[in-house]
Amino acid sequence: MYDKNNVFYKILQSEIPSKKIYEDGVALAFYDINPVCKVHALVITKALYVDFHDFVSKASPEEVGAFFGAVAKVAKLLEVDESGYRIVSNIGKDSRQEVPHCHVHILGGEQLCQSSK
Ligand code: 5GP
């Protein structure tokens, strides 16, 4: 069950600020407030899904495809498309997902560690 009391919902509503990178009909991208590497962006769904699993289970294939298209556009805007980057989506308790609104991390700008653990 989606709970609107989360920080990404507030960013979507412009109730709290973010450093926006990109926006279209399905996605909003902004910089992570606490970057773990040189380039650390977040791409969130505009529609209200708890996590990536919830999104893919309920959204249309077109919406899922459009979201991944937005992720690729953001990587290009951030100029990591040629050097390479990692996308990560934390889902639920064991992944330590902090914000219960569907999002993907884009990590890059430098050589990343081998493991995500
Ligand atoms: P999760 O663990 O849910 O995959 O990651 C949530 C991410 O959101 C974390 O990397 C955290 O730094 C980021 N974050 C939390 N609060 C804010 C905020 O208010 N603004 C921005 N830009 N990022 C945030």
Side-chain angles (χ1 to χ4, degrees):
M1 178 79 125
Y2 186 87
D3 181 358
K4 289 182 175 174
N5 188 26
N6 75 76
V7 71
F8 292 171
Y9 181 80
K10 289 175 183 156
I11 287 174
L12 270 178
Q13 301 303 311
S14 302
E15 286 171 17
I16 63 170
S18 67
K19 282 179 71 183
K20 186 160 95 175
I21 302 164
Y22 175 81
E23 181 171 13
D24 64 19
V26 297
L28 172 69
F30 49 87
Y31 290 99
D32 196 291
I33 203 168
N34 185 23
V36 298
C37 55
K38 278 189 184 152
V39 174
H40 186 174
L42 299 164
V43 189
I44 75 172
T45 55
K46 281 208 166 163
L48 307 185
Y49 297 104
V50 175
D51 58 32
F52 185 75
H53 188 88
D54 187 37
F55 175 49
V56 173
S57 304
K58 293 176 184 164
S60 68
E62 290 75 22
E63 191 177 349
V64 174
F67 181 76
F68 274 108
V71 171
K73 275 184 197 161
V74 174
K76 194 163 174 56
L77 287 171
L78 294 171
E79 299 180 336
V80 294
D81 53 316
E82 288 189 9
S83 53
Y85 60 96
R86 182 176 291 159
I87 57 174
V88 173
S89 195
N90 293 315
I91 298 160
K93 183 167 59 70
D94 278 359
S95 76
R96 300 177 185 270
Q97 180 183 2
E98 280 175 30
V99 181
H101 179 108
C102 177
H103 61 280
V104 166
H105 297 252
I106 295 179
L107 304 162
E110 62 181 302
Q111 190 102 84
L112 301 174
C113 63
Q114 271 189 316
S115 167
S116 63
K117 274 186 108 178

